Amino acid sequence: MEENRFYHSENLELKHIVELGAQTHIHATKVLRLKVGNQFALFNGDGFDYVVKVIGVSKHKTTVEIGRASCRE
């Protein structure tokens, strides 16, 4: 399981590209200093953790691609 997990309020689907919310973007890139290629988990309350890979970082947004899902135990 990925060490870093963030809540994402929108629907998450495998192989989709999503933009992180503003607060998650700031925490991931300014505090944790995640870069393109880094992985972490997103969750939205549906019982799964979605492992995502950072595919783009700019000053105001971070985009990630959802790679796989695992059941949260």
Side-chain angles (χ1 to χ4, degrees):
M1 186 52 51
E2 299 302 317
E3 188 173 314
N4 295 307
R5 277 177 88 229
F6 298 102
Y7 176 74
H8 188 76
S9 62
E10 298 175 17
N11 189 34
L12 298 169
E13 294 183 36
L14 298 178
K15 305 299 179 195
H16 280 207
I17 295 173
V18 296
E19 184 177 318
L20 300 180
Q23 292 300 318
T24 304
H25 158 72
I26 291 168
H27 189 77
T29 60
K30 306 295 185 210
V31 177
L32 298 176
R33 300 191 187 283
L34 297 178
K35 308 277 187 223
V36 171
N38 290 144
Q39 294 184 336
F40 58 91
L42 288 179
F43 69 98
N44 65 357
D46 67 358
F48 293 92
D49 277 0
Y50 296 85
V51 177
V52 300
K53 180 178 179 181
V54 178
I55 60 170
V57 177
S58 69
K59 185 174 181 179
H60 298 290
K61 71 178 184 176
T62 299
T63 53
V64 298
E65 181 176 17
I66 302 171
R68 68 185 189 320
S70 61
C71 187
R72 184 79 179 161
E73 296 180 20

